[in-house]
Each structure stands twice: as C-alpha cells, then as structure tokens.
C-alpha cells in the first residue's frame, strides 16, 4: 500500500523524528510498500493525508505524540498507527499519567508540579515534602530536554527560570534515583500483546540526558537487561497494566527506574524512536522479531483499531 510517514513539526523533538521517519520508510519498503514523508510543520500538510492509504506516525513530542495529530486523523478518517487520542495525551502530560498510575496501584515516584512563576512558598512546600536531590523536567517534553538534577532550592529556581529553546511553563519534580533507566516495549498483534525484552540503558553521563541519548558513544544498551527474573516479570506485568489503564494500541514503550522498593514507572512513550540504533530496535532484535516485523505490526495497528478508540 501507499503510506504517509508523518514526522517533523514544531516540537523540540521534531528534527530528530525525521530519523525515525527515514528508518520507518526503509522498513516499509522492505515490506513491499511505498511511502512519502509528510512533514507536519508544512502549511496545509493535511491535504496530503487523504491521498494515502494509511498514516504511519513517526513524529515525536508536541503535535505528533500528544493526541492532536491522532484527533485530526480520526476526523479525516485516515487509518493511523499507534495509540489513539487518550493514550497519546496521557503519555505526553507526565503529571496526569502519574495520577493514572496511582489510581491503578502502579508504583511510581512521588512528585510535585511547579510552574515557572512558582512562588518561594510553593517551591518550599514541594522540596520539604520530596527532599533533595530532585530530578526536574518539563511536564510535557521528551528526550530529557531542559531536564536535570537539582540539589538546592537555588538550582531548582534557576532551572525553572531558564529560557532555553525547549523550556516549559510547567515542570514536574520527583526524587532523584541513582541507577540506569529500564525500558520495555509492548506490541500488539491482532488481539495479542507482545512484551519485548526489558532493556537497560547505561549512560556515561551523570544521567540519561539528551546528549547521551543522541550520542551512541555516550550510552550502551544491555538487552535483555541483566536483572533477576522476578524483577523482569514485575516490570512486564506493570507495563501490561499501564497499557490497559491508558487504552494503548499498536505499540507503546514504558520507562522505569529500580528504586529500593522495586521497579517504579516513570513515563510512557506512545511513539518510540524507530532508528536501528534506538532502544526499540534493540529490544526487537533481542526478541527475535527484528525491526522490520515491528514496523509491520505497527502498520497493521492502523487497521485493527476498535471502532471507537478514545
């Protein structure tokens, strides 16, 4: 079939998503399809959507991964890959996602939200409850842009006051947990869910920041993660519970840290990176599926969506 690969856009992650789009296009060609890149930052890009048989979403971040693009495709009646509006929106707004986790009894770290205009009293209330060191990040951003470890009130105020290209009006802060990030992808094959092997991302920087994520010399992947079987099983079951709680579809990746009390879920990524050097590809290879098969299952998800997907 002829597939529109959607990527780009005004998000801080828009430029990087073009790499995912290129990888997806190559896999689609290997599977016998033709495709065209549709940059969602181009004026009137939606006029091209009615000329494709399916939309393969490879965009990351704002306007591509947050439910807005999914809603447009729903209204246009264009089959599209991955989760729908609800799961996409939940995955993008970290505080709301964590509220869902708490409501479903899925362990996560305690947190507070702070706006850039937060008063000293609001900051003191959050830091007194959570303690230091803290990890602060924009409430609706990915790739660890404008995120960092803060050890004092002054450092937190400085981060909130930053005015970089990826700064946000709302931040989420939570206790900083040392250790490596753990992640697991979940795929859908018709009505069957396929959990991929858990991957451990080892950063050569202080934490798994934007630089270490983008530079293969600054990280390494261990997949399957060298963890006890009971920890792997716990992470897998928690991911499946979060999938159901958020009405996911097609593919989603869930990130964890290993705290003293066990695995705690951090985030949900409804459009994982698709490059052959990325963590989803590493999990796909470790599972024996390979990235081409993952891309094929993602394309199939455009056509096995429920009649109404919230």
């Amino acid at each position: 079939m002829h597939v529109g690969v959607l990527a780009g856009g005004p998000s801080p992650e828009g430029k990087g998503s073009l790499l995912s789009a290129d990888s997806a296009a190559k896999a689609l060609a290997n599977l016998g399809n033709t495709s065209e890149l549709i940059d969602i930052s181009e004026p009137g890009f939606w006029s091209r959507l009615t000329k494709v048989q399916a939309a393969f979403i490879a965009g990351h971040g704002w306007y591509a991964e947050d439910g807005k693009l999914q809603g447009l495709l729903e209204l246009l009646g264009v089959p599209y890959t991955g989760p729908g509006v609800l799961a996409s929106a939940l995955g993008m707004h970290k505080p709301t996602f964590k509220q869902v986790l708490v409501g479903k009894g899925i362990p996560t770290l305690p947190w507070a939200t702070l706006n850039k205009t937060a008063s000293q009293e609001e900051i003191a209330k959050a830091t007194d409850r959570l303690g230091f060191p803290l990890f602060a990040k924009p409430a609706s951003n990915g790739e660890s842009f404008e995120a960092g470890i803060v050890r004092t009130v002054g450092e937190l105020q400085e981060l909130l006051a930053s005015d970089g290209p990826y700064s946000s009006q709302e931040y989420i802060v939570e206790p900083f947990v040392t250790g490596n990030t753990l992640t697991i992808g979940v795929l859908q094959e018709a009505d069957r869910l396929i959990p991929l092997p858990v991957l451990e991302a080892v950063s050569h920087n202080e934490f798994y920041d934007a630089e270490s994520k983008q530079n293969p010399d600054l990280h390494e992947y261990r997949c399957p993660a060298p963890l006890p079987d009971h920890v792997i099983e716990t992470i897998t079951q928690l991911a499946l519970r979060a999938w159901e709680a958020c009405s996911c579809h097609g593919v989603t990746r869930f990130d964890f840290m290993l705290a003293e009390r066990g695995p705690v879920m951090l985030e949900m990524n409804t459009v994982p990176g698709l490059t052959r050097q990325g963590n989803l590809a590493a999990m796909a290879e470790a599972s024996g599926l390979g990235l081409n098969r993952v891309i094929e299952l993602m394309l199939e998800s455009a056509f096995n969506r429920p009649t109404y997907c919230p």
Side-chain angles (χ1 to χ4, degrees):
M1 66 181 68
H2 186 62
V3 181
V5 180
L6 278 58
S11 161
E13 302 174 73
K15 184 177 179 180
S17 74
L18 296 175
L19 298 175
S20 286
D22 182 65
S23 179
K26 290 176 180 176
L28 289 168
N30 291 336
L31 295 166
N33 304 284
T34 59
S35 68
E36 60 179 283
L37 174 66
I38 300 178
D39 190 329
I40 64 172
S41 63
E42 295 178 356
F45 76 90
W46 51 83
S47 64
R48 298 170 60 188
L49 295 175
T50 57
K51 301 173 185 176
V52 300
Q53 292 170 274
F56 192 104
I57 299 178
H60 307 311
W62 308 335
Y63 304 105
E65 196 174 357
D66 57 4
K68 296 179 174 65
L69 181 59
Q70 289 76 7
L72 173 64
L73 292 164
E74 290 274 2
L75 291 172
L76 292 175
V78 178
Y80 64 94
T81 59
V85 174
L86 176 62
S88 302
L90 287 174
M92 179 56 61
H93 193 249
K94 298 174 180 65
T96 304
F97 174 62
K98 287 169 79 74
Q99 289 173 357
V100 173
L101 296 182
V102 170
K104 291 295 183 178
I106 298 172
T108 188
L109 294 171
W111 78 97
T113 54
L114 292 169
N115 291 326
K116 293 179 76 68
T117 57
S119 66
Q120 290 185 347
E121 181 181 359
E122 290 171 319
I123 292 174
K125 183 178 179 180
T127 56
D128 288 347
R129 177 167 62 87
L130 299 174
F132 286 106
L134 293 170
F135 192 78
K137 54 191 174 183
S140 298
N141 224 342
E143 281 296 308
S144 298
F145 289 128
E146 302 293 334
I149 305 166
V150 292
R151 295 179 171 84
T152 66
V153 170
E155 289 180 358
L156 178 56
Q157 290 174 323
E158 183 178 351
L159 182 65
L160 292 174
S162 63
D163 194 23
Y166 311 126
S167 61
S168 173
Q169 288 298 312
E170 183 185 28
Y171 282 76
I172 182 170
V173 293
E174 55 194 5
F176 175 66
V177 177
T178 58
N180 298 321
T181 300
L182 305 169
T183 189
I184 180 173
V186 178
L187 297 171
Q188 186 166 2
E189 183 179 28
D191 58 355
R192 179 173 76 102
L193 296 183
I194 305 173
L196 296 176
V198 175
L199 177 146
E200 181 180 28
V202 181
S203 172
H204 300 319
N205 288 346
E206 188 173 14
F207 69 96
Y208 196 32
D209 59 4
E211 181 186 33
S212 58
K213 288 179 179 179
Q214 296 171 0
N215 186 342
D217 294 331
L218 295 179
H219 71 253
E220 60 180 287
Y221 294 150
R222 298 170 180 168
C223 190
L227 296 169
D229 290 345
H230 74 275
V231 176
I232 295 291
E233 178 63 19
T234 297
I235 290 173
T236 302
Q237 292 305 315
L238 291 174
L240 293 174
R241 285 171 58 189
W243 172 290
E244 181 179 3
C246 297
S247 298
C248 294
H249 181 77
V251 62
T252 299
R253 201 191 79 223
F254 301 91
D255 296 342
F256 292 81
M257 292 290 287
L258 196 57
E260 290 184 6
R261 58 190 170 114
V264 289
M265 189 174 291
L266 301 179
E267 299 182 15
M268 175 173 76
N269 300 272
T270 53
V271 186
L274 298 173
T275 66
R276 294 193 176 272
Q277 296 74 40
N279 48 29
L280 186 67
M283 288 185 277
E285 292 301 324
S287 73
L289 289 173
L291 186 60
N292 281 357
R293 177 56 177 157
V294 169
I295 297 296
E296 185 176 35
L297 288 173
M298 291 177 68
L299 182 58
E300 290 176 4
S301 75
F303 299 96
N304 59 25
R305 190 179 304 279
T307 304
Y308 178 77
C309 185

